[in-house]
Structure formats: C-alpha cells, structure tokens
Amino acid sequence: MMQPAKKNFYTPAEALQKIAAFCAYQERNQKEVESKLREYGLDEDEAGEIIIRLSREKMLDEERYAKSFVRGHYRHKKWGRRRIVQELKQKGISDYCIKSGLKEIDGDEYYQNLVDVLEKKDRLEKEKNPRARRQKIQIFLMNKGYEQDLIKLALDDLGKAPEDDSE
C-alpha cells in the first residue's frame, strides 16, 4: 500500500518563491493561489500578504485571468457565454472581471463556433426522428453554454426546422 504523500510546509519566503513560479507558469486566480498557500501551511494573514504582493507585482491579476480563461474556453473548448460565466463565478471572479473577460469574444467567431459544434453534433447524432433530433442537439448546445436564441437561429440556418419532416 502506498504511503500518503508527506505534506510540505514552507516559510512565507519559501512559499512566495514557489507560488511565484506557480503563477508564472500560467494565469491563476486568487482562489487557486490562496488554496495552494494553505496547502503550504501558511495561515490566512501570511497567505493574504503574499496575495497582495503578487497582485502588486502583477503576477496575480483577476481581470487578466478572466480574459485568458474566456479566450481559451471559447476558442479551444468552444464553450458558450453562459457556461464561461458560470465557471468564472464558481472560481470567485468578480462581475467586473467577468464582463471585461467576455469582451474577448468576437461575435462572428462565436457564432461560427456554435455552427461548428452544431454541425459536428449533427453528424454524430444517431436519432432519426427530426423533432427529437433537433431537441437533442439543442440540449447539447445549451449544456455547452450557448444562448437559446442563437441555438434556434443556427438550427434554422442549418435547415433543422422542427416542422421539417421531409427527411
């Protein structure tokens, strides 16, 4: 049986070095950094001081984090706005930073993502009944975080009208 990993505790100076490298590797948010510092055995005050210092030195920036998160998740994972907002809220990002992050979304590219995801799902969907098929695709796209009105628009553009029983 494996031994549980021994917890490492660091002095605030050591923790600062480690957490600076953690932040340098990729954008982080305050919640992630705080929980990492707690794992390092720092108390709330010590963790708070390090977070303030990282923010001052621009190594920790919630607005920059939100923008980076939005870009990555709408470009690569092809998520919709609703899912992105929900995820950022769960990460404790402020409404201001979320709004700022959402400005990274290009409307045309966003709609094209929706169409791409829809077409891929349409190719893979096994449901034969047109009405049930449309509904399944719609639910899938809503789970990806796309807005109802855009989904309807894209389905109509693709010729997946609910009345279209000619297939």
Side-chain angles (χ1 to χ4, degrees):
M1 209 163 85
M2 280 178 50
Q3 289 289 314
K6 188 171 80 66
K7 277 275 183 223
N8 282 337
F9 292 110
Y10 300 98
T11 66
E14 292 168 331
L16 177 62
Q17 276 192 309
K18 276 191 77 67
I19 207 73
F22 180 68
C23 291
Y25 177 69
Q26 76 178 43
E27 287 295 340
R28 306 287 181 181
N29 67 41
Q30 210 168 314
K31 229 171 155 180
E32 283 175 300
V33 170
E34 194 171 345
S35 90
K36 197 64 145 167
L37 289 170
R38 301 297 279 212
E39 281 176 33
Y40 294 166
L42 299 186
D43 67 34
E44 206 171 320
D45 291 341
E46 293 168 328
E49 278 176 40
I50 289 177
I51 287 172
I52 289 167
R53 183 162 170 192
L54 291 172
S55 299
R56 258 205 318 265
E57 292 174 12
K58 298 281 181 243
M59 292 193 78
L60 187 62
D61 183 329
E62 299 266 288
E63 189 172 352
R64 196 175 61 212
Y65 173 84
K67 287 178 175 183
S68 165
F69 184 92
V70 169
R71 278 193 307 272
H73 286 76
Y74 109 92
R75 287 222 169 100
H76 303 295
K77 289 192 173 182
K78 305 239 187 274
W79 282 7
R81 285 185 186 92
R82 288 178 31 248
R83 172 107 182 250
I84 290 171
V85 168
Q86 186 183 353
E87 293 285 326
L88 285 171
K89 281 190 170 166
Q90 274 181 336
K91 292 177 180 297
I93 306 297
S94 73
D95 289 344
Y96 171 82
C97 291
I98 291 173
K99 267 197 192 80
S100 176
L102 289 175
K103 290 182 184 143
E104 295 293 301
I105 294 178
D106 170 76
D108 296 338
E109 188 181 349
Y110 182 77
Y111 186 73
Q112 192 52 55
N113 282 352
L114 167 59
V115 170
D116 294 346
V117 172
L118 181 137
E119 287 172 344
K120 182 177 180 188
K121 180 67 178 165
D122 189 45
R123 282 194 306 274
L124 301 172
E125 183 51 61
K126 289 170 176 50
E127 179 61 60
K128 294 286 179 247
N129 176 314
R131 194 174 247 107
R133 182 184 189 90
R134 179 182 167 108
Q135 194 175 15
K136 277 187 163 184
I137 292 172
Q138 215 166 359
I139 288 167
F140 174 79
L141 291 169
M142 284 180 68
N143 288 337
K144 278 290 245 190
Y146 289 99
E147 300 83 341
Q148 188 75 51
D149 54 337
L150 281 181
I151 294 172
K152 186 182 173 341
L153 195 67
L155 282 165
D156 293 347
D157 284 354
L158 196 68
K160 294 280 163 213
E163 296 77 42
D164 188 10
D165 287 312
S166 60
E167 292 181 351

